[in-house]
Amino acid sequence: MISNWINILKKRFRQAKARRQLRMQELLKKTGIGFRTEVLDIKQEGDPLLDYVPCSILANLRIRGKIVCCRVHTLLKGENLLRKGDPVLIRYRPGHLSQVLVNR
């Protein structure tokens, strides 16, 4: 009984976190710094939430004028999953690499 409640709370927490990240990604579409790069590696992190898949992507990012290899976390639409070598447009806020938008 208690484990059922804990599982329900975990699921609601993950859904709320996904909704916050989706709102941030909408903001990044308008205000984020964007550039083109390619996916060096991609890993799915957990179960799909709200038709989105949590992923971590290894890519080269331009931070303060330097190109740095960095792993970022984002939500991707289920049918838009990326593969290694795919070209992408990444939008982010400087200093907040936990908030990233990845588009094809």
Side-chain angles (χ1 to χ4, degrees), residues 43-48 53-57 71-74:
K43 293 181 182 175
Q44 182 176 338
E45 297 182 327
D47 299 325
V53 178
C55 295
S56 69
I57 297 173
R71 183 166 298 277
V72 296
H73 305 276
T74 189

Side-chain angles (χ1 to χ4, degrees), residues 49-67:
L49 300 167
L50 307 171
D51 296 331
Y52 289 86
V53 178
C55 295
S56 69
I57 297 173
L58 185 66
N60 290 325
L61 300 180
R62 184 177 52 233
I63 301 173
R64 296 184 195 107
K66 296 181 181 178
I67 303 295

Side-chain angles (χ1 to χ4, degrees), residues 76-90:
L76 298 173
K77 193 78 165 163
E79 68 268 2
N80 290 338
L81 289 181
L82 301 171
R83 288 175 281 143
K84 185 176 178 180
D86 284 350
V88 293
L89 173 68
I90 292 182

